[in-house]
Amino acid sequence: SLKFVVNEMLVPEGMSFDFPDPASAKDAPLAQELFMYPFVERVFYMSNFITVTKEEDVEWLEIQSILRDHIQKFLESGKLILDAKAAADIPAEDETETIKKIKNILDEYIRPAVEQDGGAITYHSFQEGIVKVILQGSCSGCPSSTVTLKAGIENLFKRMMPEEVKGVEALG
């Protein structure tokens, strides 16, 4: 996966949009266009960046400038990257002090590192000591995301909230 950063916010703060295939991009004109390239496997929008995941048998050196130029021309044309706002499918729950602390740790310590690599991590829920998160962008297809989740994120939560958090799981 490769992260393409732009000088403007593409989607509202805290929101992200993950398109694992062309069908999922029906309300995302830029993602639809990027999927027309046979080497594009996944597209992800967040904040001020777009992450594109490619097929393994294609080298970034061959396609990076093609994708960069396509994204730049699309954005310069003034077209919107989304036709409609996607509604998040997150269950409602009371925001307890524990959940506030979990979200704060995600925002302060984890999210910046994940975003730096072109991915996103979003809080989903907390039940019976298990923090459930959603990994998107470059994280969703990354072979080392399980190691990062268990060795990095889970250990951080267990260290900072030893009484409350027993584990961390990724959904999807």
Side-chain angles (χ1 to χ4, degrees), residues 13-116:
E13 188 67 36
M15 293 188 76
S16 61
F17 299 86
D18 193 18
F19 309 105
D21 53 48
S24 65
K26 66 179 177 14
D27 294 327
L30 176 56
Q32 287 175 348
E33 289 183 16
L34 294 175
F35 275 119
M36 289 195 286
Y37 293 106
F39 47 78
V40 172
E41 287 192 339
R42 183 177 212 119
V43 178
F44 175 74
Y45 303 158
M46 184 168 178
S47 304
N48 67 333
F49 66 87
I50 298 166
T51 299
V52 178
T53 303
K54 68 167 183 65
E55 289 185 346
E56 281 186 44
D57 59 342
V58 179
E59 295 298 323
W60 279 116
L61 195 58
E62 300 169 26
I63 63 170
Q64 180 177 351
S65 61
I66 294 168
L67 292 172
R68 183 192 61 236
D69 292 346
H70 191 115
I71 292 167
Q72 183 177 359
K73 284 178 185 160
F74 185 96
L75 295 174
E76 286 174 352
S77 75
K79 293 188 263 183
L80 299 176
I81 64 169
L82 293 169
D83 285 340
K85 299 258 186 249
D89 186 21
I90 299 173
E93 67 181 343
D94 294 331
E95 189 150 313
T96 64
E97 284 304 311
T98 299
I99 291 171
K100 286 179 186 174
K101 193 171 179 183
I102 289 168
K103 287 180 176 181
N104 186 52
I105 290 170
L106 278 171
D107 289 343
E108 193 171 329
Y109 298 97
I110 300 167
R111 186 169 289 119
V114 171
E115 286 180 6
Q116 197 167 9

